[in-house]
Amino acid sequence: MELIKKDVVVIGGGPGGLAAAVTAAREGKKVLLVERNGYLGGQLGSGLPFLAFWDKKRRQVIGGFAQEFVDRLEEVGASFGHAYCPHHLSTTLIDPFYSRIICFQMVKEEGVDLLLHSELSGVNMEKGRIHSVVVSGKGQHIEVEAKIFIDATGDGDLAEMSGAECEKGDGENHVMQPPTLMFNLGGVDIDRFCDFIEEHPEELPYDVLTNIEEGYNAEFFRNNKSFIFLGMHHLLEELRKKGECPVDRETVIFIRQPNPGEVAVNTIRLLNFDGSDIHDLSNGEMEAHLQIPRLIKMFKENVPGFENCFLTSINASIGVRESRRVMGVKKLNHEDAIAGKKPDDTIALCSYFIDVHNGAGQGTYRVSIDEPFGIPYGCLVSKDIPNLMMAGRDISTDHLAFGATRIMNVCMAVGQAAGIASSMAVDEKIDPQNVDTDELRKKLREEKAILEL
């Protein structure tokens, strides 16, 4: 079996893993990034935008690596930058395919070694620490030794295989947020759709959601290149009464894309789903694809502006909202998030509202975040495995706080902190939990991360 030795190994190349790997390499470390897909960025390539770079007062709360990524997209015309949104605080439209290119550019510039098309298949433990991992692809098995391992799988796969404590879902029922499969439609007449919403303001979400400011209306959609539409509650209810509603949810979501007349649809819903279970993943990919024709038919027949729409792309893999969360030295709870607490070891800020999609039926639970809260460094360090860190949506939070921290730019901010902290641990020959958080915060500020307002 081939053996590779590195300072830091990152398993998972989504937003958090990308940031962790590039940041650790910039600190001079030998880094390997392992990714199961043939591209990097995870849901960056789905058509989803970044949300809540700004807070309710329109102050920017996320900088550093995530802002650098947006800057690079803007330079090539693949993003319009941050724009105010009465519901999502701010939206930052990103070209999904150029995002993949930027990811490859960044890892190549910093000398990060890559293993794509590779799944984590084994973990070798010694005296309670991860000694090495085995990754497999194309019939090859490669053993990788490192000083620090970062779980950026999103699903906590490395942590689970290492024996670290993980949690799932909402407590004893373990209900997790449902996944979605993003797909894009072309041929959409945005102006005609805006006319429809102007004539039917009841299809705006004000009667089903409470955390939306005034101004989320047809005029906003007509004049905003980066909008997310969420609504059509009444239309779905009418179709449900006739047995013609193709999804078990209360609203439709779509995101305007950079290409004229194109939108990314975030409306597919699969219930009672566990993204860490290979059987659920397999069945989910199939069932999600089979929902697409029914949704297209619904749009064509019932939504003005979509009469001539057509399918342009389907995301390469299903988007898992929630699975495992790895328990850390600290655990972020939703009470502290809602209160806007910023602990002394804060390594990133988050202003996105608590957004929990019902994994067992209709409905979405939302709680506003009036003042940005801090994510403690201890949420990035496993309490059980001394040389295991987390980057991305599998950090240590409770079920409700996770509803805010799971978004892509927050994952990037967390990944940047994990990358720098892992480098510090290697340099000082200590475990990540012993890293000097004051020094870490100083380094993060030097890299333009935002830790206070």
Side-chain angles (χ1 to χ4, degrees), residues 94-292:
I94 58 176
D95 183 284
F97 303 113
Y98 224 107
S99 292
R100 299 184 189 183
I101 295 171
I102 299 292
C103 291
F104 280 127
Q105 288 175 343
M106 296 181 87
V107 297
K108 187 169 185 177
E109 289 166 5
E110 305 305 333
V112 175
D113 285 342
L114 283 178
L115 280 177
L116 300 178
H117 301 287
S118 299
E119 286 271 8
L120 178 68
S121 58
V123 178
N124 299 314
M125 305 293 293
E126 284 189 7
K127 298 179 180 179
R129 305 172 65 87
I130 302 174
H131 173 70
S132 65
V133 298
V134 178
V135 299
S136 304
K138 306 302 292 180
Q140 296 175 257
H141 306 287
I142 301 173
E143 183 178 5
V144 188
E145 294 180 4
K147 300 177 179 71
I148 306 295
F149 293 84
I150 300 177
D151 188 330
T153 62
D155 299 314
D157 293 339
L158 175 56
E160 175 75 7
M161 294 174 70
S162 304
E165 181 183 351
C166 300
E167 289 184 354
K168 286 183 181 180
D170 62 348
E172 61 182 49
N173 296 320
H174 302 298
V175 174
M176 287 167 274
Q177 295 194 50
T180 195
L181 178 65
M182 299 289 296
F183 65 94
N184 284 20
L185 298 176
V188 177
D189 187 333
I190 298 294
D191 286 333
R192 178 160 166 71
F193 173 77
C194 291
D195 291 341
F196 164 67
I197 293 299
E198 199 164 38
E199 295 166 6
H200 295 275
E202 72 276 7
E203 298 296 358
L204 293 167
Y206 286 102
D207 58 345
V208 291
L209 299 175
T210 59
N211 64 325
I212 304 181
E213 297 181 4
E214 293 182 8
Y216 191 72
N217 53 31
E219 183 180 2
F220 171 76
F221 304 135
R222 201 186 302 276
N223 297 318
N224 193 326
K225 294 185 291 185
S226 303
F227 73 76
I228 302 172
F229 174 80
L230 185 151
M232 289 194 270
H233 171 67
H234 292 278
L235 171 62
L236 291 185
E237 281 302 303
E238 287 302 312
L239 292 174
R240 189 169 286 113
K241 290 175 184 176
K242 294 188 288 185
E244 298 175 4
C245 184
V247 287
D248 196 358
R249 59 178 299 155
E250 79 280 11
T251 57
V252 164
I253 304 173
F254 67 80
I255 303 106
R256 188 174 187 174
Q257 295 294 286
N259 297 327
E262 187 168 11
V263 300
V265 181
N266 179 7
T267 302
I268 285 173
R269 176 164 286 189
L270 301 172
L271 302 181
N272 303 305
F273 178 94
D274 183 351
S276 65
D277 182 277
I278 195 65
H279 299 291
D280 278 10
L281 274 176
S282 301
N283 290 328
E285 293 280 12
M286 176 174 65
E287 294 304 325
H289 277 78
L290 296 178
Q291 284 187 21
I292 292 175

